[in-house]
Amino acid sequence: MASDTNQPTNGRPSTHVVIVGGGFAGIGCARELAGEDSVHVTLIDEHNYHQFQPLLYQVATAQLAATSIASSLRKTFHDYDNVDVKMGEVTEVDAAAHSVRTRAGDTIAGDILVLAAGAQANFFNTPGAAEHAFPLYSLTDAERLRTRMLTVFEDADRDPTLIDRGALNFVIVGAGATGTELAGSMADMIHDTMPEQYRDLAVSRATVQVVDLGHVVLNGFSDKAHKYASKVLTDRGVMLRLGTGVKEVTADHVVLSDGTTIQTHCVAWAGGLMAAAPAAASGLPQGRGGRIDVGPDLAPQGAPGVYVIGDMANIPGPDGQAFPQLGSVAQQSGQCVGASILAEIAGDPRKTFKYNDKGIMAMIGRGAAVAEVGKHRHELHGSIAFAAWLGVHAALMSGVRNRIEAFVDWGWDYFSKTRGPQVLDQRSAAAHIDWGDSDDSDIEVSARTRSAA
Ligand SMILES: Cc1cc2nc3c(=O)[nH]c(=O)nc-3n(C[C@H](O)[C@H](O)[C@H](O)COP(=O)(O)OP(=O)(O)OC[C@H]3O[C@@H](n4cnc5c(N)ncnc54)[C@H](O)[C@@H]3O)c2cc1C
């Protein structure tokens, strides 16, 4: 991959903008610059596709196929000569030189560097979590989690005694939007779909348990939404363990802060985020969650020609608090930087980020959702919110084909309570569980190890 600053576009020299990350933020920025003669964009992502993260939990629970929520970055910018897409994992960032280096050893330098590499799971140094828990931040994560869920069902179907050893206990760490949506969808899958498919298995013994140090479900939403979400989940058999932390995750159990041990081989981690690795590699000042602190113009201090957007940045809000990590914040921050770049080229001042808050929503399971719409957070619950959720998410998805596929799968799930893409990838490491000889002895050994330490 060559470094190609100031490549002429239509015979005129243009400003070379290097964007790292093709998520909501990176795409938002690239779209703003696409088709503009004054700039030439190189968009780098470790994947050749954009992943629609809000629906990852539906891939994990076999509601949607992976292809429904992924769209080709090359196809997205196919019609724009001034946008090049390159696949590569950025491992080094030289903010002063506006250049990045990929794992394959290529260096790409520009006149302007836009960092938009998003976030990764934050395990908060919980022992064993990085090794044994399943995060949910990428398509690969979602497919691994789905593989693990289906594997425990297949293994328990083959050997029902595994249920006594926690085979059908599913633990979700984190009761925020991701944990809540995942819990609702898992509960629907387990209680409605699986009994039909695993007729010899005591599926009724399966549990979904949500653990969170906080005391509410759906943090960030209103009190009414907390109560509604808790009721929907508990009505669907989800066990809420609030005010409780996770002390340790092992291959076959988790230990909670109240001393409880839950036998499980499937721990989904929705417990927190930190900035993706290029944030630390950049050497730029990192704040909360390892995110790079930026000003209202989305630029970090003391790094001319660099912008940081989306989940990778701490973007100051009007109340001094950073904006939350949301797709809409990421997308709008990307658009803002795109507009600033064009403004500066035209000799005008940069833009200041102003967030147009259209509200927040979460799906809690089949037919149940909460939506807080607009700046004044008008609240909708139940089937109206569910319909609003379907409409908004379908509209946000890239590509007509993805939308049609998603609507077919949602409709299928809603009316028939069956799920299409129950694909078990036997090559994945998540499909191989070492059940050992006796689970109890394993727990005793690890308890002894802990007290000895
Ligand atoms: C499960 C889940 C559910 C969510 N639900 C909602 C919701 O309902 N509504 C909402 O508004 N928000 C939701 N969010 C949050 C929202 O998805 C994020 O805020 C948004 O995706 C952030 O956009 P971004 O562009 O900053 O980062 P991302 O979308 O994460 O994009 C970052 C991109 O950078 C690439 N990348 C990372 N590291 C490197 C590297 N080293 N080299 C090259 N490329 C790299 C990645 O491949 C990725 O394509 C959800 C998030 C998750 C995880």
Side-chain angles (χ1 to χ4, degrees):
M1 213 183 285
S3 156
D4 51 357
T5 45
N6 297 322
Q7 262 199 3
T9 304
N10 295 343
R12 275 179 287 151
S14 63
T15 300
H16 183 197
V17 181
V18 174
I19 303 175
V20 179
F24 285 103
I27 285 198
C29 183
R31 281 211 168 113
E32 200 69 24
L33 300 174
E36 295 287 341
D37 285 350
S38 56
V39 288
H40 168 218
V41 176
T42 304
L43 175 65
I44 311 163
D45 199 292
E46 59 185 331
H47 303 110
N48 71 347
Y49 53 82
H50 165 75
Q51 47 202 349
F52 190 77
Q53 286 179 350
L55 295 176
L56 287 175
Y57 77 94
Q58 297 201 356
V59 173
T61 52
Q63 210 172 343
L64 288 181
T67 47
S68 301
I69 69 157
S71 51
S72 157
L73 287 169
R74 288 182 192 280
K75 198 167 161 219
T76 302
F77 294 102
H78 168 259
D79 292 335
Y80 299 99
D81 288 345
N82 74 326
V83 181
D84 283 334
V85 174
K86 299 287 174 200
M87 191 170 91
E89 183 193 352
V90 169
T91 50
E92 292 172 38
V93 179
D94 184 340
H98 311 140
S99 79
V100 295
R101 197 170 162 77
T102 66
R103 189 170 292 284
D106 299 310
T107 300
I108 304 109
D111 302 304
I112 293 174
L113 177 63
V114 180
L115 296 175
Q120 57 188 340
N122 189 346
F123 296 107
F124 299 103
N125 296 322
T126 307
E131 294 83 0
H132 302 294
F134 289 80
L136 191 57
Y137 208 73
S138 67
L139 206 53
T140 315
D141 290 342
E143 290 182 307
R144 283 179 64 237
L145 179 55
R146 182 187 60 202
T147 293
R148 174 51 63 101
M149 283 189 74
L150 295 175
T151 299
V152 291
F153 272 95
E154 294 296 347
D155 287 359
D157 186 53
R158 183 179 40 77
D159 177 4
T161 66
L162 296 178
I163 301 178
D164 298 330
R165 293 155 60 181
L168 296 186
N169 290 338
F170 299 91
V171 175
I172 297 170
V173 182
T178 300
T180 301
E181 293 191 316
L182 181 62
S185 187
M186 260 192 194
D188 285 346
M189 179 182 179
I190 288 168
H191 300 305
D192 296 337
T193 309
M194 295 318 219
E196 294 274 308
Q197 318 223 332
Y198 294 86
R199 287 189 290 259
D200 300 330
L201 187 63
V203 176
S204 58
R205 292 182 60 198
T207 68
V208 179
Q209 309 188 36
V210 179
V211 183
D212 197 301
L213 253 183
H215 293 272
V216 295
V217 169
L218 272 189
N219 194 14
F221 285 72
S222 69
D223 279 350
K224 218 168 135 192
H226 299 158
K227 287 186 191 122
Y228 173 77
S230 299
K231 183 170 179 337
V232 171
L233 289 181
T234 45
D235 284 353
R236 290 172 194 216
V238 175
M239 195 183 297
L240 299 176
R241 296 179 177 272
L242 302 178
T244 312
V246 173
K247 272 177 67 182
E248 188 184 11
V249 183
T250 76
D252 56 15
H253 66 276
V254 291
V255 183
L256 307 186
S257 58
D258 62 4
T260 308
T261 294
I262 307 170
Q263 291 182 302
T264 176
H265 291 76
C266 187
V267 179
W269 193 271
L273 299 173
M274 59 193 276
S282 72
L284 293 166
Q286 289 173 271
R288 201 177 142 85
R291 291 181 286 273
I292 296 170
D293 290 327
V294 295
D297 59 355
L298 305 169
Q301 250 192 353
V306 178
Y307 292 96
V308 189
I309 50 180
D311 277 8
M312 226 181 151
N314 277 320
I315 304 174
D319 55 358
Q321 298 283 318
F323 282 111
Q325 281 73 58
L326 287 174
S328 43
V329 173
Q331 193 175 46
Q332 291 177 35
S333 67
Q335 289 163 346
C336 176
V337 162
S340 276
I341 291 170
L342 295 177
E344 283 202 305
I345 291 170
D348 295 329
R350 289 177 171 188
K351 307 286 176 193
T352 295
F353 181 64
K354 290 192 187 72
Y355 179 49
N356 177 10
D357 186 354
K358 294 180 186 151
I360 46 176
M361 46 178 63
M363 163 93 91
I364 309 160
R366 193 178 293 109
V370 292
E372 297 180 5
V373 187
K375 239 182 226 156
H376 302 294
R377 292 288 155 94
H378 177 65
E379 278 198 44
L380 303 171
H381 293 172
S383 46
I384 297 178
F386 180 72
W389 185 99
L390 288 177
V392 167
H393 283 75
L396 287 173
M397 288 172 90
S398 303
V400 176
R401 191 192 161 118
N402 285 4
R403 286 182 200 139
I404 293 171
E405 275 178 16
F407 262 106
V408 169
D409 283 336
W410 286 333
W412 201 261
D413 178 71
Y414 189 82
F415 292 110
S416 72
K417 298 188 177 175
T418 60
R419 296 190 177 189
Q422 285 180 230
V423 178
L424 173 53
D425 178 4
Q426 296 226 52
R427 292 161 309 165
S428 164
H432 301 284
I433 304 174
D434 179 6
W435 292 102
D437 286 323
S438 159
D439 198 47
D440 289 343
S441 64
D442 283 349
I443 290 176
E444 276 171 30
V445 169
S446 65
R448 273 200 302 277
T449 314
R450 274 198 309 280
S451 53

